[in-house]
């Protein structure tokens, strides 16, 4: 436990003034629009982990946090709590996504084609000291393509892929009611969608290295924009009120069957606000690992299979809140511990004297 | 363009783009509010596997408002936190239900729709230019 400490107002004010000065730094002030457009993946990460899609706000948070992304996520989450909830959208149709990127590791000739998009893949990953010199405008194809059908539709038709039956039940919402375990898949996916990328990456990697292996291939990865629709009862119709960028990853996993399920490919699913490719892939692997119970698989006790472990530790705002609170004044606690150690040492000393 | 279409188009349009077209709208009285601009959030839902059960993905900021003008209501439900943008969108919705509809469809909605179409097409064509055909190299020993 920690107790309120009095005093220090002047020191705190001075610390905050210095923070403002350090934050301002040297050179021209970075424009929020510059951050949103030139550090777009940073902004995407803050939106994804902050669980609020608003690029301008996320960019502002990044600047205020001096680039500390967890601090920026914290600012977004805190802001979010001040907003009234005006409704819930219809589920987005990722099949109708306007894809910037769309690749499949399982089907070379996927209908609609493999579209690389603005990827780091196949770059040399050498620092380019001339990068600031400017870029040539990107090439344009002669014509825009139509809808790119989903890879899983293709496999699903043959019955080789576990079905994902449509279900319009109102999903549980962990921002409204505390997380309860065991969680259903909808609740798990919500928690994973707002989880820390690094945590998900490490867990996903652990499954690849053998801690609850799931034999995952990326069936399809797509990044692009979707319209978000909401039913507005006061108007009596639905409106596509927003356009957002999302990343979707679906893994196809080898599955030899269990007592309850026939041999077939199973699926892991990742969906994130913004362009967060690494996180979406990680999320789909962790989602698949957590499905062991539904699929009648054995639990081998791997961390990624442990729902309580994964869901209770995936939120970096929660984690950092608890972790960092130990730097706040704990003087009274520590005094008590100090007294205890001194007393124990005295007692040990007396016992020794008696023994001698 | 139907009413859901133009409300959606106004919602998704960049505030600057609508502001730039505002001279075509001309002078307006102070809004007779039914609901003053209010910023909040909407929970965006996805589906497991893209097709299955609905789940909560995360929220998006929105600003809504409603006003009354010459016996009709103008509603706005715009992406983001810009109250002025929501107000302009609600005005256009109201005026589109008056005899100014034809002129505003031409001077405001058509340019916004064209800007959205052009932006989407440019992006789609850039993506299409990165489409590859992976050729399978011959595998195996013989």
């Amino acid at each position: 436990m920690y107790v309120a400490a009095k005093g220090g107002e002047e020191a705190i004010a001075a610390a905050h003034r210095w923070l403002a000065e350090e934050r301002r730094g040297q050179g021209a002030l970075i424009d929020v629009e510059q951050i949103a457009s030139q550090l777009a993946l940073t902004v995407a990460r803050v939106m994804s982990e902050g669980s609020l899609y608003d690029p301008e706000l996320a960019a502002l948070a990044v600047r205020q946090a001096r680039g500390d992304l967890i601090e920026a996520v914290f600012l977004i989450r805190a802001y979010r709590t001040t907003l009234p909830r005006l409704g819930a959208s219809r589920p987005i149709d990722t099949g109708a996504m306007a894809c910037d990127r769309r690749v499949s590791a399982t089907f070379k000739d996927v209908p609609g084609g493999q579209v690389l998009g603005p990827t780091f893949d196949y770059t040399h990953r050498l620092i380019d000291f001339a990068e600031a010199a400017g870029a040539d405008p990107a090439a344009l194809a002669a014509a825009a393509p139509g809808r790119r059908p989903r890879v899983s539709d293709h496999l699903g038709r043959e019955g080789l892929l576990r079905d994902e039956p449509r279900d319009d039940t109102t999903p549980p919402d962990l921002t409204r009611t505390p997380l309860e375990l065991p969680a259903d898949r909808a609740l798990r996916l919500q928690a994973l969608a707002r989880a820390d990328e690094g945590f998900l990456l490490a867990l996903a990697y652990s499954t690849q290295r053998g801690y609850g292996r799931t034999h995952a291939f990326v069936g399809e990865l797509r990044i692009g924009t979707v319209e978000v629709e909401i039913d507005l009862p006061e108007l009596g119709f639905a409106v596509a009120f927003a356009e957002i960028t999302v990343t979707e990853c679906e893994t196809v996993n080898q599955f030899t069957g269990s007592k309850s399920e026939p041999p077939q490919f199973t699926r892991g699913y990742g969906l994130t606000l913004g362009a967060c490719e690494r996180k979406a892939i990680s999320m789909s692997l962790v989602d698949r690992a957590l499905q062991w119970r539904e699929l009648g698989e054995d639990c081998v006790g791997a961390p990624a299979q442990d729902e309580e472990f994964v869901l209770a530790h995936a939120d970096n705002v929660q984690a950092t809140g608890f972790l960092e609170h130990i730097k706040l004044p704990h003087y009274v606690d520590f005094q008590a511990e100090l007294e205890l150690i001194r007393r124990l040492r005295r007692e040990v000393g007396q016992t020794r004297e008696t023994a001698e | 363009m139907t009413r859901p279409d133009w409300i959606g188009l106004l919602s998704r349009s960049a505030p600057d783009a609508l502001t730039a077209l505002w001279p075509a709208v001309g002078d307006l009285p102070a809004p007779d509010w039914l609901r003053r601009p209010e910023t909040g959030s909407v929970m965006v839902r996805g589906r497991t596997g893209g097709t299955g059960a609905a789940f909560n993905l995360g929220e998006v900021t929105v600003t809504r408002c409603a006003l009354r003008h010459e016996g009709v209501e103008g509603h706005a439900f715009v992406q983001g936190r810009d109250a002025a943008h929501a107000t302009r969108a609600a005005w256009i919705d109201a005026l589109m239900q008056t005899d100014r509809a034809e002129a505003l469809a031409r001077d405001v909605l058509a340019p916004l729709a064209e800007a959205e179409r052009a932006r989407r097409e440019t992006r789609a064509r850039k993506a299409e230019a990165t489409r590859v055909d992976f050729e399978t190299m011959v595998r195996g020993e013989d």
Side-chain angles (χ1 to χ4, degrees):
Chain A
M1 144 186 164
Y2 56 100
V3 294
K6 274 193 179 177
E9 289 87 351
E10 273 180 39
I12 291 168
H16 290 172
R17 275 195 303 274
W18 193 14
L19 169 65
E21 184 191 331
E22 290 285 309
R23 169 165 51 222
R24 177 57 187 81
Q26 303 299 314
L29 181 68
I30 315 171
D31 196 52
V32 167
E33 195 182 353
Q34 288 176 305
I35 297 173
S37 68
Q38 295 175 34
L39 298 180
L41 300 182
T42 294
V43 166
R45 186 162 176 180
V46 171
M47 294 196 298
S48 164
E49 294 171 21
S51 199
L52 186 68
Y53 194 98
D54 189 325
E56 197 182 68
L57 194 71
L60 192 62
V62 168
R63 190 174 70 179
Q64 185 180 329
R66 305 179 66 198
D68 178 337
L69 298 192
I70 293 185
E71 180 72 17
V73 169
F74 201 143
L75 293 172
I76 293 296
R77 290 275 187 92
Y79 174 77
R80 190 208 70 83
T81 62
T82 68
L83 295 176
R85 175 74 61 81
L86 303 182
S89 82
R90 291 183 174 181
I92 55 174
D93 178 7
T94 52
M97 184 186 296
C99 297
D100 288 350
R101 171 162 168 77
R102 189 288 190 110
V103 292
S104 171
T106 51
F107 293 101
K108 180 166 64 72
D109 301 314
V110 56
Q114 306 261 3
V115 177
L116 297 181
T119 182
F120 295 126
D121 294 352
Y122 314 108
T123 62
H124 296 296
R125 284 172 166 125
L126 300 173
I127 291 199
D128 179 0
F129 292 98
E131 185 247 358
D136 292 331
L140 289 182
R147 185 181 167 113
R148 300 191 201 274
R150 193 188 288 286
V151 167
S152 52
D153 295 345
H154 184 60
L155 254 187
R157 272 196 292 275
E158 283 185 70
L160 298 176
L161 186 66
R162 192 165 190 265
D163 197 22
E164 293 279 6
R166 187 186 168 101
D167 177 357
D168 286 311
T169 311
T170 301
D173 184 352
L174 63 80
T175 68
R176 299 277 133 153
T177 43
L179 185 68
E180 275 189 38
L181 302 173
D184 66 8
R185 188 159 172 227
L187 193 59
R188 295 198 302 251
L189 286 172
Q190 183 184 14
L192 297 179
R194 53 199 273 131
D196 183 78
E197 176 176 315
F199 181 74
L200 289 187
L201 171 64
L203 280 174
Y205 180 45
S206 75
T207 68
Q208 292 183 297
R209 290 193 63 253
Y211 292 85
R213 193 184 294 283
T214 59
H215 308 275
F217 295 101
V218 171
E220 180 163 5
L221 173 70
R222 45 169 80 191
I223 305 175
T225 53
V226 290
E227 288 191 346
V228 186
E229 285 185 291
I230 189 168
D231 290 300
L232 294 176
E234 64 268 38
L235 295 176
F237 50 74
V239 169
F241 71 97
E243 186 180 66
I244 63 173
T245 299
V246 295
T247 307
E248 182 185 50
C249 177
E250 188 148 50
T251 57
V252 177
N253 303 66
Q254 188 194 90
F255 180 63
T256 53
S258 67
K259 277 181 200 139
S260 58
E261 298 286 328
Q264 60 190 327
F265 288 110
T266 55
R267 306 150 78 149
Y269 190 65
L271 185 66
T272 68
L273 293 177
C276 300
E277 178 168 315
R278 187 181 304 111
K279 177 171 171 180
I281 300 170
S282 302
M283 178 173 169
S284 59
L285 263 64
V286 175
D287 169 53
R288 176 59 187 80
L290 289 170
Q291 289 177 55
W292 64 271
R293 204 188 306 268
E294 290 103 295
L295 295 171
E297 288 177 316
D298 291 333
C299 178
V300 299
Q305 291 179 314
D306 185 333
E307 179 177 281
E308 204 264 327
F309 180 81
V310 174
L311 301 187
H313 301 117
D315 192 299
N316 56 24
V317 173
Q318 246 172 35
T320 207
F322 196 70
L323 181 103
E324 295 194 44
H325 99 279
I326 64 173
K327 73 190 176 185
L328 298 174
H330 279 70
Y331 308 132
V332 174
D333 283 354
F334 189 69
Q335 278 301 319
E337 303 237 335
L338 203 58
E339 279 308 308
L340 177 67
I341 294 287
R342 283 183 179 141
R343 184 165 56 77
L344 290 172
R345 286 175 64 92
R346 272 198 306 274
E347 284 169 11
V348 170
Q350 279 164 5
T351 317
R352 280 203 192 124
E353 275 172 29
T354 317
E356 285 160 13
Chain B
M1 199 180 287
T2 65
R3 192 169 175 219
D5 288 340
W6 78 57
I7 293 179
L9 176 66
L10 291 160
S11 305
R12 300 186 305 269
S13 292
D16 288 352
L18 184 54
T19 309
L21 295 166
W22 209 245
V25 180
D27 291 336
L28 292 166
D32 177 9
W33 292 117
L34 288 166
R35 178 191 276 148
R36 287 179 179 277
E38 173 189 30
T39 295
S41 74
V42 165
M43 177 57 85
V44 179
R45 290 191 176 141
R47 289 187 185 281
T48 60
T51 56
F55 71 94
N56 291 310
L57 172 64
E59 288 160 273
V60 58
T61 49
V62 294
T63 303
R64 69 178 176 186
C65 67
L67 51 79
R68 204 171 7 223
H69 179 66
E70 293 178 3
V72 295
E73 292 182 5
H75 287 258
F77 199 87
V78 305
Q79 183 174 4
R81 290 162 291 117
D82 193 329
H85 182 53
T87 306
R88 289 190 189 99
W91 268 119
I92 300 291
D93 179 44
L95 295 170
M96 281 300 293
Q97 300 168 71
T98 69
D99 57 9
R100 296 186 60 185
E102 198 179 326
L104 289 174
R106 181 191 63 223
D107 299 336
V108 177
L109 297 182
L112 292 179
E114 173 53 24
E116 181 170 77
R117 192 204 58 75
R119 181 174 52 76
R120 287 177 175 175
E121 189 187 301
T122 302
R123 208 139 182 114
R125 287 170 61 196
K126 280 184 191 171
E128 190 65 7
T130 69
R131 179 169 165 166
V132 285
D133 291 311
F134 287 115
E135 290 186 33
T136 308
M137 310 302 279
V138 177
R139 295 176 61 165
E141 283 74 51
D142 43 35

